[in-house]
Amino acid sequence: MAKKETFICIGCPLGCEVTLTIDEKGKILGFAGNKCKEGEKYVFEEYTNPVRILTATVLTQNSAQPLLAVRTSKPILKTMLAQGAAVLARTKVKPPVRVGDIIVPNLLDTGVDVVASANLSS
Amino acid sequence: MKLQDIDVAVIGAGPAGMAAAIRAREAGAENVIIMERAEELGGLLHQCVHNGFGLLYFNEDLTGPEYGNRFIEKVMDTGVKPLLETMVVKLTEDRQIGAVNAKEGFITFRPKSVVLAMGCRERSRGALNIPGSRPSGVLTAGTAQRFVNVEGFLPGKRIVILGSGDIGMIMARRLTLEGAKVEAVVEILPYIGGLIRNEVQCLHDFDIPLYLQHTVTQIHGEERVTAVTIAKVDADRNPVPGTQRKIQCDSLLLSAGLIPENELSLMAGIRLDPVTGGAVVDETRQTNIAGVFAGGNVLHVHDLVDNVSWESELAGESAAKFAMERDLGEKGTINLKAGTNIRYIVPQTISGQRDTTLYMRVNEPQENVRIKIGDIMTKTVRAVKPSEMIKIELSSEKLQKVNKETKEIIVSCEKRGGK
Ligand code: SF4
């Protein structure tokens, strides 16, 4: 039995609703609804490897600023976002921190670091 | 630097003000100051911890603080002088600035040119007119953003968001990841108010329900919000009887549009465009007052910060030139008029002598269109939406087609025929 899954392409303001047909082994059989080739590329990525940058804040110690903004240095699988956020909710940092400093190395074994988005002084 | 010697004074140190000040220095203005009421440079970028900034400007996917930081460093490197915790309270039609701060009290001076970069503010509940009591727990999406991202507490645990502007959708994701439950995003229009990537990455990714053509008809609760009633609306945006449903929640976030902050401009007698809420400018971003320029969200609300930076650089460059030469050459004498399905065009006037980028927005979503700039040029576009700004480059070569007598060029967005 072939399965169908729909995606909204974010390639342009049109936002085509693209329907993907997938066979029982998960192989892509076809695309429908995309008004240009970009849509196929986007949906292929979203189906095989949907990734996002995780952004959050972490608590600080010894700083007048209660929070520090952080991000993953590269996108991670979107299914990991909630777990990643939970790790960051337990993370604390102390000044000084500079933009780009590693806050959590290798987040949840993704191979991606969480880095500071901002500076932190005491 | 003495106050009497200031060439360019920039009001506001958000992305617009920083870009304008940096460019004014780079363009040769000697004494450039940037006046900011907060205690640091960067404006709202500090609280926008999400990514999606700089994709066009830096070709990188940056967060708000990272984007801001690059400009803050450049402000320092280029020798712009920041005047922090200083609030500009007065601007006159002959470019006198009055400001207050704790150190010097009231200061007043007359720079050679001024750049308005005050940004915008959120439409608040008063402007929205929702019936019901006045319990706590009703706040704008931007205020919630400051609570969560800067001050470090959640405004609530069960949240309804009214309006699908970008900040609202971004806060839906942020609050979800921080452990709150976003029960619904409610939008009165048949389409979202923000960017499509935010609908997908902030709402769909987290299965947050989006109710299009719905609105909040009542807020329940005495001390604190306990629920809201939402209802479907008809084509005239009136609630349809019998479609009400009550959603339990403890907070209602408002994300229903932004308004350019132009009190100072009005005080100085700057002419505003009733549609954009910002000043009427020509392609140098000069307002009707000689030597006063504007750029960024104070001029018109942008969808991307990258465009804010570019536009403000233009304003900064013009301000520097005015400060040094007292003259910018040809003035904007040709009016750009919004035709079919065009809501506004910035700049509103052009001289026809320089390369110009036109920024515009449409009234209604439309597919397969041709945007016509009078009979000078046309551009075909696959789709247009009110939430996404359209940018069209108009070269001075193309403008040579314009007859010297021309007073008005109509810009329109029309369906492409023959299909
Ligand atoms: S498929 Fe093509 S036309 Fe449709 S939204 Fe994506 S980029 Fe735009």
Side-chain angles (χ1 to χ4, degrees):
Chain A
M1 266 299 285
K3 258 195 339 184
K4 286 190 192 305
E5 220 175 290
T6 62
F7 296 85
I8 293 180
C9 176
I10 63 170
C12 83
L14 208 51
C16 294
E17 196 171 303
V18 186
T19 306
L20 196 61
T21 314
I22 313 143
D23 73 9
E24 58 276 22
K25 293 203 189 79
K27 204 175 138 242
I28 297 175
L29 299 176
F31 301 86
N34 50 306
K35 298 209 169 120
C36 80
K37 280 274 168 207
E38 267 306 299
E40 281 186 24
K41 238 173 73 192
Y42 170 81
V43 170
F44 179 79
E45 279 297 312
E46 277 289 282
Y47 176 65
T48 54
N49 188 38
V51 294
R52 308 279 187 260
I53 286 174
L54 171 64
T55 62
T57 53
V58 294
L59 288 169
T60 66
Q61 286 173 321
N62 310 339
S63 171
Q65 220 175 292
L67 300 174
L68 174 71
V70 298
R71 61 171 290 173
T72 54
S73 58
K74 285 189 226 123
I76 60 172
L77 273 177
K78 76 173 187 187
T79 47
M80 305 287 284
L81 292 174
Q83 258 178 290
V87 170
L88 296 174
R90 295 190 300 268
T91 304
K92 286 193 174 137
V93 292
K94 282 186 190 148
V97 179
R98 301 280 308 161
V99 180
D101 286 358
I102 294 176
I103 304 298
V104 179
N106 188 18
L107 178 71
L108 297 165
D109 279 326
T110 52
V112 174
D113 299 330
V114 173
V115 299
S117 296
N119 299 324
L120 184 72
S121 54
S122 37
Chain B
M1 188 187 304
K2 285 210 217 78
L3 284 173
Q4 303 86 278
D5 300 333
I6 290 164
D7 296 306
V8 180
V10 178
I11 307 176
M18 293 194 293
I22 292 165
R23 179 53 63 87
R25 277 288 297 142
E26 288 171 346
E30 194 59 38
N31 297 319
V32 179
I33 63 164
I34 188 163
M35 310 178 76
E36 168 59 45
R37 64 185 168 198
E39 50 198 43
E40 56 184 345
L41 301 170
L44 287 182
L45 286 168
H46 292 290
Q47 70 179 56
C48 299
V49 304
H50 57 278
N51 60 304
F53 296 84
L55 287 164
L56 305 176
Y57 193 95
F58 289 114
N59 238 317
E60 279 179 68
D61 194 356
L62 302 174
T63 61
E66 290 172 305
Y67 189 90
N69 225 63
R70 295 201 180 182
F71 283 86
I72 293 172
E73 281 174 5
K74 213 149 174 220
V75 164
M76 298 311 181
D77 291 348
T78 49
V80 171
K81 185 169 178 265
L83 216 55
L84 300 174
E85 294 179 84
T86 301
M87 180 139 121
V88 177
V89 292
K90 200 174 114 189
L91 179 66
T92 67
E93 60 187 326
D94 58 352
R95 284 199 313 276
Q96 286 277 354
I97 289 180
V100 285
N101 67 32
K103 253 204 303 206
E104 294 143 300
F106 188 76
I107 51 176
T108 169
F109 63 102
R110 186 166 183 267
K112 298 199 180 85
S113 60
V114 175
V115 179
L116 306 173
M118 292 89 79
C120 58
R121 63 159 169 262
E122 295 177 281
R123 197 164 278 152
S124 61
R125 184 179 175 191
L128 283 168
N129 272 325
I130 310 163
S133 48
R134 296 285 179 270
S136 68
V138 182
L139 65 171
T140 65
T143 304
Q145 189 179 46
R146 199 185 69 236
F147 286 166
V148 179
N149 293 346
V150 179
E151 293 171 22
F153 57 88
L154 276 179
K157 291 211 157 64
R158 294 181 75 180
I159 314 232
V160 171
I161 300 176
L162 175 59
S164 56
D166 288 312
I167 313 170
M169 293 196 282
I170 283 161
M171 282 316 291
R173 169 178 64 189
R174 184 81 182 97
L175 288 160
T176 304
L177 285 173
E178 285 293 326
K181 173 110 177 63
V182 179
E183 303 287 347
V185 173
V186 182
E187 169 59 56
I188 199 163
L189 294 173
Y191 44 86
I192 55 161
L195 300 172
I196 197 134
R197 71 171 189 227
N198 286 331
E199 177 181 352
V200 171
Q201 299 181 353
C202 298
L203 305 185
H204 298 191
D205 274 7
F206 299 94
D207 297 317
I208 295 168
L210 169 66
Y211 295 91
L212 295 173
Q213 282 181 292
H214 277 73
T215 192
V216 170
T217 54
Q218 206 179 344
I219 300 170
H220 306 270
E222 289 301 323
E223 298 278 295
R224 175 81 198 190
V225 176
T226 55
V228 297
T229 299
I230 70 168
K232 206 172 159 35
V233 297
D234 61 20
D236 299 321
R237 301 190 195 175
N238 293 317
V240 179
T243 63
Q244 288 91 339
R245 87 171 74 183
K246 202 164 168 180
I247 302 176
Q248 305 296 325
C249 60
D250 59 19
S251 306
L252 176 66
L253 265 50
L254 308 173
S255 177
L258 301 165
I259 310 168
E261 207 162 335
N262 273 297
E263 282 70 19
L264 283 173
S265 321
L266 282 171
M267 201 186 287
I270 288 170
R271 194 149 72 86
L272 300 188
D273 177 331
V275 181
T276 58
V280 172
V281 292
D282 67 10
E283 74 265 37
T284 67
R285 296 300 184 273
Q286 185 164 220
T287 66
N288 62 313
I289 296 187
V292 179
F293 302 81
N297 284 344
V298 76
L299 192 53
H300 58 125
V301 175
H302 292 61
D303 50 354
L304 299 173
V305 72
D306 310 64
N307 288 324
V308 166
S309 300
W310 277 318
E311 175 172 75
S312 306
E313 285 174 353
L314 180 55
E317 184 167 331
S318 305
K321 192 154 177 256
F322 186 93
M324 294 182 292
E325 296 166 20
R326 304 261 121 213
D327 186 20
L328 290 179
E330 290 293 324
K331 286 220 165 54
T333 50
I334 306 168
N335 289 318
L336 297 176
K337 195 170 166 232
T340 315
N341 199 24
I342 297 289
R343 196 156 81 82
Y344 74 74
I345 308 132
V346 171
Q348 289 84 350
T349 69
I350 56 172
S351 67
Q353 308 295 314
R354 312 179 186 87
D355 290 353
T356 302
T357 304
L358 303 183
Y359 294 87
M360 57 189 88
R361 284 186 194 265
V362 294
N363 285 312
E364 299 290 336
Q366 211 178 1
E367 284 181 27
N368 235 329
V369 295
R370 183 176 280 130
I371 295 177
K372 289 170 76 174
I373 318 292
D375 43 23
I376 311 169
M377 72 173 282
T378 61
K379 186 181 177 183
T380 57
V381 184
R382 204 149 48 195
V384 292
K385 266 191 180 170
S387 57
E388 317 224 0
M389 212 158 71
I390 304 159
K391 231 170 118 177
I392 294 181
E393 313 281 342
L394 205 54
S395 66
S396 46
E397 268 157 54
K398 288 234 166 67
L399 283 164
Q400 275 172 6
K401 285 201 222 157
V402 180
N403 175 322
K404 284 254 170 306
E405 314 297 298
T406 306
K407 287 272 166 296
E408 181 176 282
I409 295 174
I410 295 178
V411 180
S412 59
C413 173
E414 287 157 21
K415 188 94 188 149
R416 266 159 75 194
K419 237 189 138 184

